[in-house]
């Protein structure tokens, strides 16, 4: 399967502003890229130079000084995907903490948006009786999926996992944060993922396309994708960034004020009707 992907973002700055971006496909999927444009960054007719590096989680990071005015950032391409739904392994077991690889240990700890200390009692009271492994992660997903009401109008960049539990509303990042925090409280490593997820193999969502958030849990020596918002295996996830929570994978992080003046995302199976011009 070939998936067309891309975005167009416009940022207005009243003064020169340093910005960091995580807008490239993750290094683990770059071998699947069939064609890709450069990542264009322009302010009027002027190209805005940027530097590029890879962070501790394998995410591609770009950094630039945005000039006064409107900077438009664009990128598009085609990526190969196996076309299969997320793997399901009902027998996948929980790895004892003493046997976890060091890279997984980071994803057991509390973080900015995932307060394991505040949610530990809640987690053990709700899921302590559920068998360890896949069944326990799925039970956590079921709970988060049923507990949170999705609505784009409920987006709040300051809401944490504890806030999502308390308020029962949010967007995809809130579903992921709550599930991650509950998994970690149950000694299951879980990491936050963001990227493209088109309506492939499911009815088309009439809402404008957005980047999506899900999480991966470490079971039986590998990472498995889980999605507490949709709560079904999906086809065509293309990860852009991974981290402890949304703070590690912000698509745009400016070190000064800016206004988001435009935002478009598209991703669809080649041959299907495109969702972007």
């Amino acid at each position: 399967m070939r998936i067309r992907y891309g975005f167009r973002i416009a940022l207005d700055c009243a003064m020169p502003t340093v910005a960091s971006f995580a807008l490239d496909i993750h290094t683990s999927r770059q071998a699947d890229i069939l064609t890709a444009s450069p990542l264009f960054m322009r302010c009027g007719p002027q190209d805005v130079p940027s530097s590029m590096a890879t962070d501790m989680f394998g995410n591609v990071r770009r950094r630039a000084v945005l000039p006064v005015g409107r900077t438009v950032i664009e990128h598009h391409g085609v990526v190969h995907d196996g076309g299969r739904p997320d793997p399901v392994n009902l027998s996948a077991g929980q790895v004892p903490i003493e046997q976890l690889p060091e890279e997984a240990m980071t994803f057991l700890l509390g973080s900015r948006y995932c307060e394991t200390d505040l949610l530990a009692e809640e987690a053990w009271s709700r899921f302590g009786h559920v068998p360890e492994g896949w069944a326990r992660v799925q039970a956590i997903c079921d709970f988060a999926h049923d507990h949170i009401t999705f609505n784009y109008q409920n987006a709040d960049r300051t809401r944490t996992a504890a806030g999502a539990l308390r308020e029962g509303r949010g967007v995809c990042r809130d579903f992921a944060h709550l599930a991650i925090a509950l998994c970690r409280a149950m000694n299951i490593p879980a990491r936050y993922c963001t990227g493209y997820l088109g309506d492939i193999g499911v009815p088309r969502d009439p809402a404008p396309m957005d980047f999506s958030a899900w999480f991966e849990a470490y079971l039986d020596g590998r990472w498995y994708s889980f999605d507490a918002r949709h709560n079904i295996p999906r086809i065509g996830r293309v990860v852009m960034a991974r981290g402890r929570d949304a703070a590690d994978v912000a698509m745009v992080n400016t070190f000064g004020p800016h206004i988001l003046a435009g935002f478009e995302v598209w991703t669809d199976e080649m041959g299907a009707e495109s969702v972007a011009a």
Side-chain angles (χ1 to χ4, degrees), residues 182-200:
L182 293 172
C183 282
R184 291 178 185 170
M186 302 298 293
N187 300 326
I188 303 167
R191 63 189 185 186
Y192 186 96
C193 303
T194 188
Y196 298 95
L197 180 61
D199 297 323
I200 299 173

Side-chain angles (χ1 to χ4, degrees), residues 39-62:
L39 192 147
F40 299 105
M41 200 176 300
R42 296 190 180 102
C43 184
Q46 174 188 356
D47 287 335
V48 177
S50 65
S51 61
M52 186 167 62
T54 303
D55 70 13
M56 69 183 78
F57 302 113
N59 305 319
V60 179
R61 310 292 311 197
R62 294 179 187 258

Side-chain angles (χ1 to χ4, degrees), residues 122 126-127 139-148 165 178 182:
E122 179 82 21
R126 285 188 179 275
F127 309 109
I140 289 171
C141 283
D142 293 343
F143 170 73
H145 177 78
D146 293 340
H147 183 74
I148 298 175
L165 178 66
L178 179 56
L182 293 172

Side-chain angles (χ1 to χ4, degrees), residues 6-121:
F7 63 84
R8 186 179 298 112
I9 299 171
L11 304 173
D12 287 350
C13 295
M15 63 185 70
T17 303
V18 178
S20 174
F21 304 94
L23 291 168
D24 294 80
I25 287 179
H26 193 268
T27 52
S28 63
R29 290 297 306 269
Q30 289 193 1
D32 296 325
I33 298 173
L34 301 177
T35 62
S37 74
L39 192 147
F40 299 105
M41 200 176 300
R42 296 190 180 102
C43 184
Q46 174 188 356
D47 287 335
V48 177
S50 65
S51 61
M52 186 167 62
T54 303
D55 70 13
M56 69 183 78
F57 302 113
N59 305 319
V60 179
R61 310 292 311 197
R62 294 179 187 258
R63 196 183 313 168
V65 179
L66 306 183
V68 174
R70 178 165 297 177
T71 299
V72 177
I73 308 158
E74 300 182 65
H75 177 63
H76 59 83
V78 176
V79 63
H80 175 266
D81 188 81
R84 294 179 295 274
D86 301 324
V88 174
N89 182 1
L90 300 179
S91 64
Q94 193 165 323
V95 180
I97 295 175
E98 65 271 19
Q99 296 177 21
L100 286 171
E102 192 59 34
E103 65 122 6
M105 292 294 292
T106 297
F107 302 103
L108 275 182
L109 306 177
S111 57
R112 163 70 176 85
Y113 290 103
C114 300
E115 315 101 318
T116 53
D117 53 343
L118 298 182
L119 296 181
E121 184 176 348

Side-chain angles (χ1 to χ4, degrees), residues 52-273:
M52 186 167 62
T54 303
D55 70 13
M56 69 183 78
F57 302 113
N59 305 319
V60 179
R61 310 292 311 197
R62 294 179 187 258
R63 196 183 313 168
V65 179
L66 306 183
V68 174
R70 178 165 297 177
T71 299
V72 177
I73 308 158
E74 300 182 65
H75 177 63
H76 59 83
V78 176
V79 63
H80 175 266
D81 188 81
R84 294 179 295 274
D86 301 324
V88 174
N89 182 1
L90 300 179
S91 64
Q94 193 165 323
V95 180
I97 295 175
E98 65 271 19
Q99 296 177 21
L100 286 171
E102 192 59 34
E103 65 122 6
M105 292 294 292
T106 297
F107 302 103
L108 275 182
L109 306 177
S111 57
R112 163 70 176 85
Y113 290 103
C114 300
E115 315 101 318
T116 53
D117 53 343
L118 298 182
L119 296 181
E121 184 176 348
E122 179 82 21
W124 282 99
S125 66
R126 285 188 179 275
F127 309 109
H129 67 285
V130 179
E132 291 186 351
W134 190 280
R136 183 170 284 180
V137 178
Q138 187 57 59
I140 289 171
C141 283
D142 293 343
F143 170 73
H145 177 78
D146 293 340
H147 183 74
I148 298 175
T149 299
F150 180 89
N151 189 321
Y152 283 117
Q153 302 306 313
N154 291 330
D156 181 350
R157 62 185 177 82
T158 67
R159 184 185 293 118
T160 66
L165 178 66
R166 182 175 60 253
E167 298 175 26
R169 61 182 182 175
V171 292
C172 56
R173 62 181 269 161
D174 299 299
F175 289 82
H177 283 150
L178 179 56
I180 288 169
L182 293 172
C183 282
R184 291 178 185 170
M186 302 298 293
N187 300 326
I188 303 167
R191 63 189 185 186
Y192 186 96
C193 303
T194 188
Y196 298 95
L197 180 61
D199 297 323
I200 299 173
V202 298
R204 185 173 293 274
D205 189 334
M209 177 66 194
D210 195 358
F211 291 117
S212 189
W214 62 93
F215 75 101
E216 294 172 341
Y218 191 81
L219 299 170
D220 263 1
R222 59 160 290 184
W223 294 98
Y224 287 94
S225 293
F226 289 88
D227 189 334
R229 178 198 166 185
H230 297 102
N231 209 27
I232 58 171
R234 292 288 296 267
I235 297 170
R237 293 186 198 278
V238 182
V239 65
M240 296 169 69
R242 295 186 175 102
R244 291 162 294 194
D245 56 34
D248 286 333
V249 303
M251 301 290 183
V252 178
N253 192 3
T254 62
F255 298 86
H258 77 272
I259 296 173
L260 180 63
F263 182 83
E264 295 178 76
V265 180
W266 56 91
T267 176
D268 56 283
E269 183 181 359
M270 293 285 284
E273 182 181 354

